[in-house]
Amino acid sequence: MTTLLEPAASLAPALDALRQEAARLDPSQAIGQPRPLDDLRREWLRQPRLRTQIVAMFGACALCLTIAGLYARMSYAVVTRTREFAIRLAIGARPEDVVRALSGEVMLLVLGGLAIALILLPGVDAWVQQLVAGLPRTGFLPMAVVAGAVTAVAMLMVWGPARRAGRIAPAEALRTD
């Protein structure tokens, strides 16, 4: 049996009163070492917190891999389509048009990923609920914040390769092939 005690003043007189009452009710009953409620709470929440930290670490790793993959994909697209961009620029396209074309591709990738995430969210949310007891359900606001952050990071990742594609000198790019 566990007794939770919140004394009005100091702990020592309350513990003495508890020991006397327990001895009066059942002299064979031993009272263990008293511990603060914060220590008990920390002990009870150790496993759920560990699980939450592990899931958060996997989520952060997945986000980093997504960002790195997106950057690599865009850099690869710029390298493999150098000739195409050079021709576009040679026939009158502005560098902003090339940047806009690449940004559009990234937005399609990001929106596709977000659509898949929205489809998978209820199942993943239920799984995380089983993993971590007492966790509130994921609402629209956290999902919107994450979606906005992913979109912003994706646009930042495409900016460098897209600017590089917009700066291609058409004559130089066509001469190298």
Side-chain angles (χ1 to χ4, degrees):
M1 181 167 101
T2 302
T3 303
L4 298 176
L5 177 66
E6 184 177 1
S10 68
L11 184 61
L15 284 175
D16 289 339
L18 181 65
R19 284 190 179 106
Q20 288 173 1
E21 187 61 25
R24 188 183 66 76
L25 292 174
D26 186 2
S28 65
Q29 198 62 265
I31 294 183
Q33 182 65 28
R35 294 190 296 171
L37 188 57
D38 287 340
D39 291 349
L40 289 173
R41 186 179 302 128
R42 232 178 273 113
E43 184 180 316
W44 292 333
L45 295 176
R46 185 177 306 143
Q47 279 300 113
R49 281 187 180 153
L50 177 65
R51 290 181 189 148
T52 303
Q53 289 171 346
I54 290 171
V55 168
M57 282 190 325
F58 279 126
C61 289
L63 185 60
C64 289
L65 285 173
T66 300
I67 290 167
L70 187 60
Y71 183 78
R73 160 82 167 80
M74 292 317 302
S75 294
Y76 180 73
V78 168
V79 169
T80 58
R81 295 172 61 189
T82 300
R83 186 176 179 97
E84 173 195 340
F85 296 138
I87 292 171
R88 284 185 183 196
L89 291 168
I91 61 174
R94 296 174 308 183
E96 298 86 35
D97 296 333
V98 173
V99 171
R100 195 175 307 116
L102 285 171
S103 298
E105 287 182 20
V106 168
M107 286 311 296
L108 283 175
L109 286 172
V110 169
L111 291 176
L114 290 176
I116 291 170
L118 284 173
I119 292 168
L120 295 177
L121 180 66
V124 171
D125 195 29
W127 175 69
V128 171
Q129 289 290 323
Q130 289 176 348
L131 194 63
V132 181
L135 191 68
R137 301 216 36 101
T138 303
F140 175 75
L141 183 62
M143 183 62 183
V145 168
V146 169
V150 167
T151 303
V153 167
M155 293 313 293
L156 284 173
M157 289 295 107
V158 76
W159 187 70
R163 281 199 46 191
R164 201 170 344 137
R167 292 183 187 164
I168 293 173
E172 191 67 34
L174 293 174
R175 194 174 329 163
T176 58
D177 279 343

